[in-house]
Amino acid sequence: TKKIPLKDPSEIFTVNNGLFSHILLLAAAGHGKTTALSKFAYDWANEVKDSPLSKFPYVFLLKLRLAKKDSALGDVIIAQLLKRLTGISPAGIERFIRENQRKCCFLLDGYDEFSGSIVAGNPQTCLSSLGELMLGEEFPECHVVVTTRHNRKGDFEHVKNPTEYAVMEIEGFAEEDVKMYVRKFFHAASQDGEAFIRYIYTQDNLNSLVNIPFFCMALCNMEQTGFLENTGTTSKLFDQLTKYLVHHAKARTNDESTYYSEERIKSMVVAVGKVALQKLIDNRE
């Protein structure tokens, strides 16, 4: 295996002179898989200069977590992108794609959250045209990018007669990336940005998380809104992060009902904690 560092996310489409038509984009939670695909689709839709997808007349961004394991590709496209339009059928969409494969690019987000599987013999095996698209058995000339967390990478390594995927990985922010992000975030108050950078690297609990893009963004927002006070330990930091997320949700919805009561928040956190603990126990076994 040879690792090739890329300077820009758009370069995933030009590795090996762009000869890979199928790309598997790996990253842990919070590293920007969904954000990357959304940015590609946004730039394409707005005809941004130098968009890596500008050569494709048709781009489909689909969330795999919203698709059932036996969903046909045409059904997923209608449900997520077109809704119900007179004269358009799932079979008609697939026929159009089949006739225009080299003009189509599919951005399939979140295979790790997909209820189906592309591995033959798995109880969740997806035998529909959506699974066949990922396998390259159907629409083989389409360009396909699939994102997933590492735990389901093996599905793409052990399928029977798989289409060769170029494997790309988002590893998170280096120290220089963190500094660049913080400076851009606090561009209107550069002194605050520089002070926050110095502060980050004196706090072990912040330093250990800031290389994850989601947490870098969250910490900047928490610092700006005063939620980073009294976060000397990781437990206190996550307590404050939860409070910040609730505050943010309230601000967006103007909802002052009991939906965001302290009791309800605690019950939700406990429920998530039970799932996380059980997953840790399962992995150890």
Side-chain angles (χ1 to χ4, degrees):
T1 300
K2 180 181 179 181
K3 283 191 174 184
I4 304 173
L6 305 179
K7 295 180 180 180
D8 185 89
S10 64
E11 291 185 17
I12 70 171
F13 298 101
T14 59
V15 169
N16 201 24
N17 295 318
L19 295 179
F20 289 107
S21 62
H22 287 62
I23 296 171
L24 185 64
L25 188 59
L26 299 171
H31 278 62
K33 301 182 298 296
T34 298
T35 300
L37 293 197
S38 298
K39 182 65 163 62
F40 294 147
Y42 179 87
D43 286 351
W44 172 82
N46 287 278
E47 300 182 346
V48 172
K49 184 180 179 181
D50 299 327
S51 164
L53 303 183
S54 58
K55 66 179 180 180
F56 295 105
Y58 312 108
V59 174
F60 303 86
L61 173 59
L62 303 174
K63 298 182 183 300
L64 292 175
R65 64 181 172 81
L66 301 179
K68 298 178 181 179
K69 70 173 184 177
D70 55 353
S71 295
L73 178 61
D75 286 320
V76 176
I77 291 173
I78 288 177
Q80 296 191 26
L81 301 178
L82 301 178
K83 305 306 179 185
R84 296 294 171 183
L85 298 177
T86 303
I88 296 180
S89 67
I93 290 174
E94 291 189 17
R95 183 169 56 253
F96 176 84
I97 293 170
R98 193 172 293 109
E99 294 170 354
N100 296 274
Q101 294 184 48
R102 294 188 178 182
K103 298 179 180 179
C104 298
C105 178
F106 286 90
L107 306 176
L108 307 180
D109 186 39
Y111 179 78
D112 53 289
E113 298 181 279
F114 181 43
S115 61
S117 172
I118 59 173
V119 180
N122 187 303
Q124 302 300 317
T125 297
C126 175
L127 300 176
S128 72
S129 51
L130 175 59
E132 291 173 340
L133 169 70
M134 287 187 274
L135 286 170
E137 294 177 352
E138 182 66 280
F139 319 111
E141 296 181 351
C142 288
H143 204 103
V144 179
V145 182
V146 183
T147 70
T148 186
R149 297 184 191 180
H150 294 79
N151 62 306
R152 296 197 71 181
K153 175 186 176 184
D155 285 18
F156 293 84
E157 297 175 330
H158 301 112
V159 293
K160 184 178 180 181
N161 299 321
T163 292
E164 184 178 4
Y165 274 80
V167 180
M168 313 286 180
E169 184 171 0
I170 302 175
E171 296 185 338
F173 283 165
E175 184 174 333
E176 286 306 310
D177 299 320
V178 171
K179 292 178 180 179
M180 181 185 300
Y181 185 95
V182 173
R183 284 167 180 155
K184 287 184 176 181
F185 188 94
F186 291 97
H187 67 92
S190 59
Q191 290 184 342
D192 291 345
E194 295 302 321
F196 186 47
I197 289 171
R198 292 192 295 272
Y199 178 71
I200 287 173
Y201 290 104
T202 62
Q203 305 295 313
D204 290 340
N205 61 330
L206 303 186
N207 193 2
S208 64
L209 292 172
V210 76
N211 69 306
I212 302 173
F214 169 80
F215 282 108
C216 188
M217 175 273 296
L219 294 175
C220 285
N221 277 284
M222 291 172 68
E223 169 67 11
Q224 190 176 59
T225 52
F227 279 84
L228 265 189
E229 296 179 4
N230 302 317
T231 55
T233 66
T234 302
S235 296
K236 290 181 179 179
L237 173 63
F238 278 93
D239 282 344
Q240 286 297 95
L241 176 59
T242 301
K243 292 177 181 178
Y244 167 74
L245 292 174
V246 173
H247 167 79
H248 181 63
K250 282 184 176 180
R252 292 186 63 183
T253 61
N254 294 318
D255 189 348
E256 296 296 335
S257 68
T258 57
Y259 184 85
Y260 291 107
S261 67
E262 185 172 345
E263 182 179 350
R264 181 178 175 82
I265 298 303
K266 284 184 178 180
S267 67
M268 288 192 288
V269 171
V270 168
V272 173
K274 287 181 178 179
V275 174
L277 177 59
Q278 187 60 53
K279 190 66 176 179
L280 285 174
I281 293 173
D282 292 344
N283 287 341
R284 290 189 67 180
E285 294 176 349

